[in-house]
Amino acid sequence: MRLKDKVTIITGAGGGMGRIASLMFAAEGAKIVVAEFGEAAGEETVRLVREAGGEATFIKTDVSKEADARAMVDHALATYGRVDALYNNAGVMPEADHSVTDTDVETWDQVMAVNVRGVFLGCKYAIPAMIAGGGGSIINIASFVALLGCSVPQDAYTASKGALLALTRSLAVQFGPQGVRTNAICPGPVETPLLMDWLVKDEEAKKIRLARNPTGRFGKPEEIVYMALYLASDEARWTNGAQMVVDGGISVNYF
């Protein structure tokens, strides 16, 4: 097993890519801390992991709150004795997020609180625990929109994901010498409830996005998680500060 006994905190693990990541990481031997705001959703992920023969525990977490981030890491230490990986998956993409000219301040602040502050707080408490345990892996979920401009803007989301890339590089340099690797994944459009719910309501937006992807389809959540499995594993012990683009080629398509 690639992740045997590696204690992994996965934020936003109550559904979508976070739930699939929990199942796939557990299948590779990881012990999962399901950090999720929705209690029913988080407990369901734990049930599914255990039903499949894996090991998992749940803690109710609002990643934007410092006390919750501290409690999330403390829970991992109290339950499993260490933290080997932090998978910063939790994120929001509100419908009200458009161009800077017509996005309200409340929406901007909400996106930054979850997508950026949430990662900052998770790292703030997980990294010292990793150092104490001899090292670890931080995996930040950014986005392909952090790498190129978009004619259908979601400027708060885009800015938040760009911030994650900058933070990833800084953490990689600071903590690499202490055995903590930090990398980012930049997914293209993936079939998660967060994206599909929006695109189902906007057929034209869906058509535009599919036309620009050389593969002609959206990604599957597991296709992103496979990259995360690599980054969490010892196979990636010399991968640090990288931004791994998994987008079907959309970011290299000129037209």
Side-chain angles (χ1 to χ4, degrees), residues 69-105:
R70 185 190 298 115
M72 172 182 80
V73 174
D74 287 346
H75 177 81
L77 293 172
T79 305
Y80 298 122
R82 57 185 297 112
V83 177
D84 297 292
L86 171 62
Y87 191 147
N88 285 309
N89 167 77
V92 294
M93 188 174 61
E95 287 186 34
D97 180 12
H98 300 294
S99 167
V100 293
T101 59
D102 59 4
T103 297
D104 60 84
V105 172

Side-chain angles (χ1 to χ4, degrees), residues 179-223:
V180 177
R181 299 176 293 104
T182 307
N183 296 284
I185 302 175
C186 297
V190 176
E191 290 180 0
T192 63
L194 184 66
L195 179 67
M196 290 301 107
D197 181 57
W198 170 53
L199 291 180
V200 162
K201 298 173 185 172
D202 192 338
E203 189 61 35
E204 187 59 29
K206 181 178 180 180
K207 191 182 302 182
I208 289 171
R209 279 157 178 78
L210 284 176
R212 291 177 179 174
N213 198 308
T215 64
R217 66 173 177 85
F218 296 118
K220 307 289 185 184
E222 57 268 25
E223 292 169 327

Side-chain angles (χ1 to χ4, degrees), residues 87 139-143 183-187 224 227-228 231 244 246:
Y87 191 147
I139 302 164
N140 295 327
I141 299 299
S143 172
N183 296 284
I185 302 175
C186 297
I224 308 305
M227 179 62 77
L231 292 174
M244 316 295 271
V246 186

Side-chain angles (χ1 to χ4, degrees), residues 111-151:
V111 172
M112 292 298 167
V114 176
N115 294 9
V116 183
R117 189 201 304 159
V119 173
F120 148 61
L121 290 172
C123 292
K124 178 181 178 70
Y125 292 101
I127 288 174
M130 290 179 180
I131 293 171
S137 174
I138 304 287
I139 302 164
N140 295 327
I141 299 299
S143 172
F144 78 108
V145 299
L147 305 172
L148 70 170
C150 185
S151 58

Side-chain angles (χ1 to χ4, degrees), residues 30-43:
K31 298 175 180 178
I32 310 300
V33 175
V34 174
E36 165 64 41
F37 184 72
E39 291 187 46
E43 293 287 9

